[in-house]
Amino acid sequence: DARVTQTPRHKVTEMGQEVTMRCQPILGHNTVFWYRQTMMQGLELLAYFRNRAPLDDSGMPKDRFSAEMPDATLATLKIQPSEPRDSAVYFCASGLDRGLYYNEQFFGPGTRLTVL
Amino acid sequence: AQSVAQPEDQVNVAEGNPLTVKCTYSVSGNPYLFWYVQYPNRGLQFLLKYITGDNLVKGSYGFEAEFNKSQTSFHLKKPSALVSDSALYFCAVRDGNNFNKFYFGSGTKLNVKP
């Protein structure tokens, strides 16, 4: 049963610390998405990769957030330095784009981040 | 502005009754439309999608949705609601002219009461 995995599932840290969240997309998928979910803002797209290349990161605060795909099996989202307003659930999702045919996204279980 | 709207924050329905969760969109070209469901403390799960073809699409757990191009809507429906359907539902749309642009709605909380 192929699934997107995310680590850690929960993270509590203090303001100013670096936070790294990891995601393993489903094998064979060529797109990866990072989302942030809060009660106030709902679901926000932070970054979008296809074939490991970033296509859209316009939703990501550039001064403190960075997203990378070191290889096809790993995506990372880093926050440095973290702030209390970054507290949220961060979801990773993967999917398979075939030319103009766009498939659904498969979401991971999320990382619940609390910044004190 | 291009987007997707879910006009109801919450929908309440009694078990056994039909349910509808509304979604309207505003994007260019022929859209790709999706519905996802989120249970508490879980990630979103795909329910169904419309790409082309028959306007009525059927998905998981007995859900279906109807694409209405003239009304730019893609409402989610189920003939008979279950208590276990209670969850948060998201509509999503991908721009038909720019596949790098897609949008999620704000979500609708469905409450099914016994």
Side-chain angles (χ1 to χ4, degrees), chain A residues 67-114:
Chain A
E68 295 179 346
M69 282 201 72
D71 60 61
T73 65
L74 176 64
T76 62
L77 180 66
K78 291 187 181 181
I79 308 174
Q80 169 61 22
S82 59
E83 297 181 1
R85 60 179 167 152
D86 300 329
S87 298
V89 180
Y90 291 81
F91 288 105
C92 175
S94 71
L96 182 61
D97 278 8
R98 291 176 177 156
L100 295 181
Y101 187 76
Y102 170 68
N103 278 308
E104 61 274 17
Q105 298 175 32
F106 293 81
F107 282 73
T111 294
R112 183 175 295 276
L113 174 65
T114 302

Side-chain angles (χ1 to χ4, degrees), chain A residues 30-42:
Chain A
N30 62 354
T31 56
V32 170
F33 307 83
W34 282 105
Y35 293 91
R36 175 170 63 184
Q37 187 176 37
T38 61
M39 290 292 292
M40 293 299 295
Q41 299 296 328

Side-chain angles (χ1 to χ4, degrees), chain A residues 9 33 35 37 42-43 45 48 50 55-56 58 91 97 100-109 112, chain B residues 32 34 36 38 41-46 48-49 51 88 90 92-94 99-102 104-106:
Chain A
R9 294 293 312 277
F33 307 83
Y35 293 91
Q37 187 176 37
L43 197 64
L45 176 67
Y48 165 30
R50 183 189 293 142
L55 287 189
D56 188 348
S58 57
F91 288 105
D97 278 8
L100 295 181
Y101 187 76
Y102 170 68
N103 278 308
E104 61 274 17
Q105 298 175 32
F106 293 81
F107 282 73
R112 183 175 295 276
Chain B
Y32 285 21
F34 302 82
Y36 292 83
Q38 185 180 29
N41 301 314
R42 303 283 295 275
L44 279 68
Q45 296 176 34
F46 167 74
L48 51 79
K49 65 184 175 186
I51 305 297
L88 189 57
F90 290 92
V93 59
R94 193 168 198 182
F99 288 108
N100 292 339
K101 291 297 181 185
F102 57 94
F104 273 84
S106 55

Side-chain angles (χ1 to χ4, degrees), chain B residues 7 15 20 24 35 56 78 91 93 95:
Chain B
E15 187 174 33
T20 299
T24 59
W35 275 102
L56 183 66
K78 187 173 183 181
C91 180
V93 59
D95 191 320

